[in-house]
């Protein structure tokens, strides 16, 4: 079974530039998550989709971050404009089940973003 | 505010040692407690503990949930160098949301 795919694996940009990350979840997984993991911290949920609808985006900095999952499959996360504090690993995860009992989340390899 | 606290932050042991990692949580509408192992980048799932399953075991790894104390432990016996990783604890709540702790970095020396 193919895992969660993410690209690019690494990205270096200068502050105020824009960047986009792509994620393709495991086939059949209705729920997709984007996490931000800053060095030395645990992953922090940015946004959760169920199919193509947003379930939770309460921790997404909406002034600069946006995400979409138009056809309910793959998703893109964009940062515009980037700040130094956005340097982190961006993890995408997907799960088959929703609600309770909660389903296991499968994580992709992540994208390491460095903002100079 | 919901929070998950792990201790210790880092731990260095030798092969064959037994380790215990701790996790305490304060999560509104708590549903489950999950443990992940993170090597390089992608966390991989280890255990999920709920009120109906407060103890799990898989090989040398085991975990217990104490709902009264709002805490969980992850035990690893007979540690190997391949166990070196960051171990993440997460409190699951509401509709599949998880709040992660900062993790415990375990280093197992030969």
């Amino acid at each position: 079974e193919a895992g969660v795919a993410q690209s690019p694996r690494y990205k270096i940009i200068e502050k105020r530039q824009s960047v986009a990350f792509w994620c393709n979840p495991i086939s059949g997984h209705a729920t997709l998550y984007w996490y931000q993991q800053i060095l030395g911290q645990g992953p922090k949920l940015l946004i959760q989709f169920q199919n193509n609808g947003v379930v939770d985006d309460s921790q997404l900095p909406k002034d600069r971050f946006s995400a979409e999952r138009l056809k309910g499959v793959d998703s893109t996360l964009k940062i515009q404009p980037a700040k130094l504090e956005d340097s982190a690993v961006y993890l995408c995860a997907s799960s088959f089940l929703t609600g309770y009992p909660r389903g296991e989340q499968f994580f992709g390899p992540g994208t390491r973003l460095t903002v100079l | 505010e919901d929070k998950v606290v792990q201790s210790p932050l880092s731990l260095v042991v030798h092969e064959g040692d037994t380790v215990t990692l701790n996790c305490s949580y304060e999560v509104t509408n708590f549903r489950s407690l999950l443990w992940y192992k993170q090597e390089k980048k992608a966390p991989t799932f280890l255990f999920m503990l709920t009120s109906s399953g407060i103890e799990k075991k898989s090989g040398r790894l085991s975990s217990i949930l104490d709902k009264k104390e709002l805490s969980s432990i992850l035990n690893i016996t007979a540690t190997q160098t391949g166990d070196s990783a960051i171990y993440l604890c997460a409190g699951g709540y509401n509709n599949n949301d998880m709040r992660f702790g900062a993790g415990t970095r375990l280093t197992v020396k030969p």
Side-chain angles (χ1 to χ4, degrees):
Chain A
E1 178 183 80
V4 176
Q6 289 188 247
S7 66
R9 297 292 302 275
Y10 304 90
K11 190 73 176 179
I12 300 174
I13 61 172
E14 295 190 350
K15 60 183 179 183
R16 290 187 288 274
Q17 285 188 322
S18 301
V19 65
F21 312 126
W22 175 82
C23 172
N24 189 264
I26 293 172
S27 177
H29 281 196
T31 308
L32 184 147
Y33 314 79
W34 282 102
Y35 289 88
Q36 179 193 59
Q37 187 172 23
I38 294 172
L39 186 65
Q41 299 180 17
K44 183 184 85 170
L45 179 69
L46 294 176
I47 189 168
Q48 178 190 166
F49 292 95
Q50 182 171 334
N51 297 311
N52 60 350
V54 175
V55 175
D56 182 0
D57 63 355
S58 57
Q59 298 191 85
L60 185 73
K62 298 181 184 65
D63 57 334
R64 297 183 301 105
F65 286 65
S66 64
E68 60 183 13
R69 192 184 185 200
L70 292 175
K71 295 183 179 180
V73 181
D74 55 353
S75 174
T76 55
L77 176 69
K78 297 179 181 178
I79 308 175
Q80 180 179 10
K83 293 185 176 181
L84 296 176
E85 58 262 36
D86 298 331
S87 294
V89 174
Y90 290 84
L91 294 164
C92 178
S94 69
S95 67
F96 179 67
L97 295 175
T98 61
Y100 182 79
R102 62 186 323 292
E104 170 190 349
Q105 292 185 19
F106 295 83
F107 285 83
T111 297
R112 183 179 298 279
L113 173 67
T114 302
V115 182
L116 303 176
Chain B
E1 182 181 328
D2 294 339
K3 60 180 179 181
V4 176
V5 178
Q6 294 187 244
S7 64
L9 291 181
S10 65
L11 188 58
V12 180
V13 300
H14 288 91
E15 274 192 318
D17 288 350
T18 293
V19 298
T20 298
L21 310 182
N22 300 286
C23 174
S24 65
Y25 62 90
E26 293 179 29
V27 175
T28 307
N29 297 321
F30 173 81
R31 299 291 197 185
S32 56
L33 191 291
L34 296 96
W35 285 96
Y36 282 82
K37 178 182 182 181
Q38 187 172 27
E39 301 170 276
K40 297 181 181 180
K41 286 184 189 174
T44 54
F45 176 78
L46 294 175
F47 297 117
M48 180 174 73
L49 302 157
T50 66
S51 57
S52 60
I54 61 172
E55 186 169 355
K56 294 285 178 73
K57 182 176 172 61
S58 176
R60 297 178 295 105
L61 277 67
S62 63
S63 183
I64 298 173
L65 175 67
D66 187 335
K67 291 197 72 178
K68 183 178 178 182
E69 297 295 327
L70 304 184
S71 65
S72 176
I73 60 171
L74 176 68
N75 282 320
I76 308 175
T77 60
T79 52
Q80 304 171 357
T81 55
D83 294 328
S84 295
I86 296 173
Y87 289 84
L88 295 166
C89 166
Y93 61 103
N94 295 334
N95 190 27
N96 256 13
D97 291 343
M98 292 197 297
R99 182 170 296 276
F100 282 88
T104 293
R105 181 181 293 277
L106 174 65
T107 302
V108 182
K109 293 188 173 181

